[in-house]
Amino acid sequence: MRTLTIEPLTKEAFAPFGDVIETDGSDHFMINNGSTMRFHKLATVETATPEDKAIISIFRADAQDMPLTVCMLERHPLGSQAFIPLLGNPFLIVVAPIGDEPVSGLVRAFVTNGRQGINYHRGVWHHPVLTIEKRDDFLVVDRSGTGNNCDEHFFKEDQRLILAPHQ
């Protein structure tokens, strides 16, 4: 099994998988008579059909035991999915490029700085939310509509990956 190296999350490194939602280095302008800085269009909500709706939810996640064996990844073919940390805690991200199924050798792992959110593009393979804290809350923006919007892929035993504890 290959052990994933956890990389710091940057806009450039994450671009093949989606958007990093952060204020650092992002375009902005003043609104509300100069009292508010608006960081505009940090990510785009993707939906597959005009009938789909963008929805906002809160996910409360519990930490997984580390080291974690990455046995599966999922994707959402009909819409993007954004995770914004509500409590300011870093979290882990495991992703693979868009394709019919994830390729074990192309899987990457990232860690946020606690002020960054992410928006997975439609069809990007990813692990379900991975909190570092015992329990954490995330604001989630994704799609609601008809059709199956969650495909799961389970790796064969020799394709599984190890995610070591984050230092």
Side-chain angles (χ1 to χ4, degrees):
M1 276 192 256
R2 178 170 71 101
T3 299
L4 291 171
T5 301
I6 300 173
E7 308 170 47
L9 182 66
T10 65
K11 290 179 182 182
E12 297 75 25
F14 197 70
F17 312 106
D19 309 300
V20 175
I21 301 169
E22 66 180 334
T23 57
D24 291 351
S26 295
D27 292 335
H28 61 277
F29 53 89
M30 299 305 292
I31 61 171
N32 298 336
N33 298 313
S35 67
T36 303
M37 189 178 297
R38 178 177 176 146
F39 294 89
H40 187 67
K41 199 176 177 184
L42 298 176
T44 301
V45 178
E46 299 173 337
T47 60
T49 69
E51 297 79 29
D52 291 341
K53 302 286 185 221
I55 61 170
I56 300 171
S57 306
I58 292 178
F59 286 16
R60 180 160 291 149
D62 292 326
Q64 304 290 314
D65 292 333
M66 292 287 176
L68 175 71
T69 301
V70 177
C71 299
M72 65 81 69
L73 296 178
E74 65 181 27
R75 69 175 176 182
H76 306 289
L78 302 178
S80 58
Q81 188 177 49
F83 287 83
I84 299 99
L86 292 177
L87 303 177
N89 298 316
F91 64 99
L92 299 172
I93 302 156
V94 175
V95 289
I98 294 171
D100 291 337
E101 61 183 43
V103 176
S104 179
L106 298 179
V107 174
R108 293 176 69 185
F110 298 94
V111 62
T112 72
N113 62 18
R115 297 176 313 280
Q116 299 166 305
I118 50 99
N119 182 49
Y120 297 119
H121 288 172
R122 278 179 45 193
V124 165
W125 291 100
H126 61 277
H127 194 280
V129 65
L130 289 168
T131 180
I132 295 171
E133 296 299 316
K134 184 176 180 176
R135 175 169 281 168
D136 213 344
D137 288 350
F138 298 86
L139 183 81
V140 178
V141 180
D142 60 356
R143 169 222 176 253
S144 177
T146 60
N148 177 29
N149 192 31
C150 187
D151 297 331
E152 294 179 332
H153 174 83
F154 290 87
F155 290 112
K156 295 177 183 169
E157 193 164 335
D158 64 342
Q159 296 175 326
R160 293 178 180 172
L161 303 155
I162 300 295
L163 185 62
H166 174 68
Q167 301 300 329

